[in-house]
Each structure stands twice: as structure tokens, then as C-alpha cells.
Amino acid sequence: MSKIKILTKGLIKENPVLVLVLGMCPSLAVTTSAINGLGMGLATTFVLLMSNMLISMLKNFIPDKVRIPAYIVVIATFVSIVDLVLQAYVPVLASSLGLFIPLIVVNCIVLGRAEAFASKNSVLDSMLDGLGMGLGFTLALFTIGFCRELLGSGAVMAHSLIGGKDGILVFVLAPGAFFVLGFVIAIVRRLQS
Amino acid sequence: MAKKGPGLFQLIFSLTSITLVAAIALAAMDSVTKAPIEAARLKKKMEAIAEVLPGFDGETTEIRFMPDDGKDSVIVYMARQDGELFGAAVETYTDIAYSGRFTIMVGFDANGIITGTSVLQMSETPGLGDKIDKSKNPVFSGQFVGKDPQNFRLKVKKDGGDVDAITAATISSRAFCDATERAYKIFMKAKEISHE
């Protein structure tokens, strides 16, 4: 597989949210606005990139029997770093994403890429894979967040288009997340076939 | 890639060294971010105090009180300007909200009149209960400003008070009143003590 393909397959063809349908918890919960989706996506991208890199480097050092705890430690370390950095330098985003930043640890995309890709491939390929998957995740979350914000609050990137009036509330609430996710997946499927 | 029968020692060694490196990395990161995180928290608090006490420019002293009807202490920031009591910002909370506890800052002038409110932390329903936050909808919290809780009953109209509840979010409105009422009681107590 060419390097370009490894990088770009995560964007649409093997998009972790829209095609593999992984990491649903943050995809549904934090996408009440486009900026939240973007922040969550980028935080996860950083974790994916770094954990894929390190796990690929250590793949000959980690015995098979203890690989899962070892991966979790590596991932949890990077997540804690992201959490601390966000709290220190972007406290507004940190408080709106809240608990979902520490929960990146259990995002199955991250462990999934470590197990399925980074543990078998070279460091460079693993980094490209992590970056591509992360950007695909970001793209999906941003799209869902953008639609929900537009429909639910009548706003684009926190700029209200309808002068502070209410939008279609259900799209900001949990059911709206499922509606939008379903439609986005359907559109992507249609375009792919 | 599977190694043939790694000994127990190797398993322990590899996992221990990974956790050790992780611990060192996190300790380093913590020492770097500790000061900025503290500064960000303090800044948020200062901004909230400035927001609920318009016109105040001075130092605050912190006093903690245990309310009779709550589980945790309420923090009063007594504001003094030019040697006189300007008022106070009270960091209060409620446990009867729709989704968990929320904490708000309520400002009072020296006579106990509400000068402003600011939401510090909440997880009320977006689009409904979160209208208690001034930045989401100024109408609800606006009706508290300039009121004296002596003759403005801090209860929603449904409960016989003077507060117009947010449509479809009576529970959040009721909780907001509860937090404000608690702040007022504590403020009056704090004022008494500081006079003595």
C-alpha cells in the first residue's frame, strides 16, 4: 500500500466513524456544536498519532502476552497529557468537552489502530495511519457537529443566524445526534457505491 | 512478531519499564502545566467575580460557610473598596437541578441587593435548562438583577414566588432559585460576622 493511501484511507474509505462505526460514544455525545466536534477530533488525532508511533517503535519490545495492558498505558499517558494541556491552555474547550477527554483512553479507535495496524507495521506507516484515522474522525465529528449546531441552535461556528432564537431543539439533544449520524452515514454510503 | 515463550521476568520487565517511563513523562507534564491550570482556574473565578459585581475594583477576602441545608460549604468573597464593604460574590450551588449539581456565582451589594449572576459549572439540558446561563439567554437571570431578596421571593411562580421560570425548564429554574436563596442567606450571615 502506498504511503498516500495509508494516510487517506481513514478520511472516507475507512472512516472510523462513518464506515467502521467505531468510537460512537464521543461522536454522539460531544457533537452539539462544530467547535466541540473539532476540538474532540483533534485531541483524538494527537493521541492516535503519538500512540501509534510509540507502539510501533515498541512492537518488538512488548511481549505478546502483555501487549494490551502495555498499549493501554501508552494511550492513557498521551490522553492525560492532552487533558492537562487543554486544561492549562484552552480551559473553555476543556470544560465543554469535560469527561470525554479522559474517555479517549477507552475510545476503541485508538486501541483498534494500535492492535490492528501499529503492532504490525513500520513507524512511519503507523504514524500516517494514526494521522489519517484521526483526521477522518475529526472530519466526521466536525460534520455531525456542524449539522447539529445549524439545525439545533441555528448557528454556524457559534455565530447565530437567527438572532438568539431557538432552533430545532431535538437536534441538540441526544436523539438529534442519532438522526444526523444516520443521515451522514447514509449519504457517505450512497456516494461510495 | 510473537516471541517464543518470553519468561515471566521479561513480561514483568517490559510492562514495568513502560509504566515507569509513562509515570516520569506524566510527572514532568504535570509540573509544567500545574501553574497554568491554577492560573486558568483563578482567572475564571476572578472574571466571574468581576461579572457579578460590576464597578468593583479591589481585593476580595475569602470566607467559607457551611449552610444548614446543604452538603458542602459556600464560599463568600467579601469585596471591600476604599475600606468600605462594597458587597460580596458568593459561590453557591444546588443539588436539586435537573442533571447533577451546578455551581453559580451570585453578587450582592452591601445592602443585599442582587447585582448579578454567573454560571460557573453546570450540565443542564442544552437549549432548555442551560438558559439559566446569561450567555445563553439573558432573560431568566436578568430578572434577579437589582432585586432585594427581602421582598423578592426567590421561588418560581408555580411555588408561590416572584420568579418567572424558563418555559419547559421549571426544575432548572427552581434549582437556580435554590442556589440564589442559599447565597443570600450565607451573605447575610457573612455580613453580620464581618460587622462584629
Side-chain angles (χ1 to χ4, degrees):
Chain A
M1 214 186 324
S2 75
K3 305 279 180 231
I4 300 288
K5 257 198 183 143
I6 293 174
L7 180 66
T8 54
K9 72 177 188 311
L11 290 179
I12 298 289
K13 202 164 141 269
E14 284 182 37
N15 186 296
V17 177
L18 305 175
V19 177
L20 305 179
V21 200
L22 289 175
M24 283 299 104
C25 178
S27 313
L28 294 167
V30 303
T31 52
T32 49
S33 72
I35 204 82
N36 275 4
L38 196 64
M40 184 69 192
L42 292 179
T44 310
T45 304
F46 172 79
V47 173
L48 259 169
L49 177 67
M50 299 307 282
S51 66
N52 260 14
M53 178 184 84
L54 207 67
I55 285 165
S56 180
M57 280 177 181
L58 294 171
K59 64 178 180 285
N60 293 322
F61 173 74
I62 303 172
D64 225 18
K65 276 184 185 164
V66 293
R67 69 182 193 285
I68 299 293
Y71 296 168
I72 295 279
V73 170
V74 170
I75 294 165
T77 307
F78 285 116
V79 171
S80 304
I81 290 174
V82 170
D83 191 26
L84 289 172
V85 169
L86 284 183
Q87 278 186 44
Y89 304 106
V90 219
V92 180
L93 188 63
S95 70
S96 77
L97 295 175
L99 186 64
F100 288 94
I101 290 294
L103 281 178
I104 298 175
V105 177
V106 289
N107 188 325
C108 34
I109 299 168
V110 185
L111 189 60
R113 293 328 286 179
E115 172 78 5
F117 199 94
S119 63
K120 302 184 184 95
N121 288 282
S122 72
V123 175
L124 181 65
D125 285 1
S126 300
M127 286 173 74
L128 289 175
D129 177 76
L131 188 64
M133 283 291 162
L135 291 178
F137 185 67
T138 309
L139 182 71
L141 258 62
F142 179 77
T143 311
I144 298 170
F146 186 86
C147 297
R148 287 181 67 190
E149 193 183 358
L150 182 67
L151 296 167
S153 334
V156 172
M157 301 296 279
H159 293 294
S160 182
L161 302 176
I162 52 173
K165 288 194 202 67
D166 286 339
I168 311 166
L169 263 185
V170 71
F171 282 101
V172 181
L173 305 178
F178 285 94
F179 294 154
V180 173
L181 178 70
F183 276 104
V184 174
I185 290 179
I187 292 168
V188 170
R189 286 271 153 122
R190 183 77 186 83
L191 292 177
Q192 274 193 321
S193 62
Chain B
M1 53 157 268
K3 290 193 177 141
K4 284 220 168 109
L8 184 64
F9 174 76
Q10 203 194 337
L11 298 183
I12 296 172
F13 173 73
S14 63
L15 204 51
T16 309
S17 42
I18 286 173
T19 35
L20 198 66
V21 172
I24 293 168
L26 284 181
M29 206 59 210
D30 181 58
S31 66
V32 171
T33 52
K34 205 170 196 167
I37 290 176
E38 201 48 50
R41 280 205 188 124
L42 197 68
K43 187 164 163 257
K44 198 178 167 192
K45 197 177 274 173
M46 288 329 241
E47 275 171 5
I49 292 175
E51 200 188 329
V52 299
L53 289 174
F56 172 67
D57 179 31
E59 293 287 306
T60 55
T61 44
E62 191 179 314
I63 319 173
R64 281 165 191 273
F65 281 94
M66 193 67 195
D68 309 326
D69 56 346
K71 294 192 194 97
D72 283 300
S73 52
V74 167
I75 308 168
V76 183
Y77 300 93
M78 295 300 268
R80 286 176 188 284
Q81 195 161 291
D82 309 325
E84 291 207 10
L85 184 67
F86 183 90
V90 184
E91 190 180 329
T92 177
Y93 61 88
T94 179
D95 284 319
I96 58 167
Y98 193 71
S99 53
R101 164 179 292 197
F102 67 66
T103 49
I104 59 173
M105 186 81 89
V106 185
F108 297 97
D109 73 4
N111 301 318
I113 292 173
I114 298 172
T115 51
T117 62
S118 169
V119 173
L120 297 175
Q121 181 276 322
M122 61 130 180
S123 46
E124 299 295 286
T125 319
L128 295 171
D130 75 343
K131 285 181 190 157
I132 56 166
D133 192 344
K134 197 160 47 189
S135 61
K136 302 270 159 53
N137 187 325
V139 178
F140 176 72
S141 59
Q143 64 182 317
F144 290 88
V145 178
K147 299 286 164 52
D148 183 353
Q150 287 281 346
N151 49 41
F152 181 79
R153 280 163 299 163
L154 287 169
K155 272 188 173 141
V156 295
K157 285 195 171 147
K158 213 182 249 181
D159 301 342
D162 291 321
V163 177
D164 277 319
I166 300 165
T167 314
T170 310
I171 294 175
S172 304
S173 312
R174 197 175 276 151
F176 193 91
C177 294
D178 175 61
T180 312
E181 174 82 40
R182 180 167 297 141
Y184 179 69
K185 280 188 198 147
I186 296 288
F187 169 68
M188 293 318 262
K189 216 191 268 180
K191 209 173 108 177
E192 237 169 67
I193 289 171
S194 71
H195 270 305
E196 277 163 14

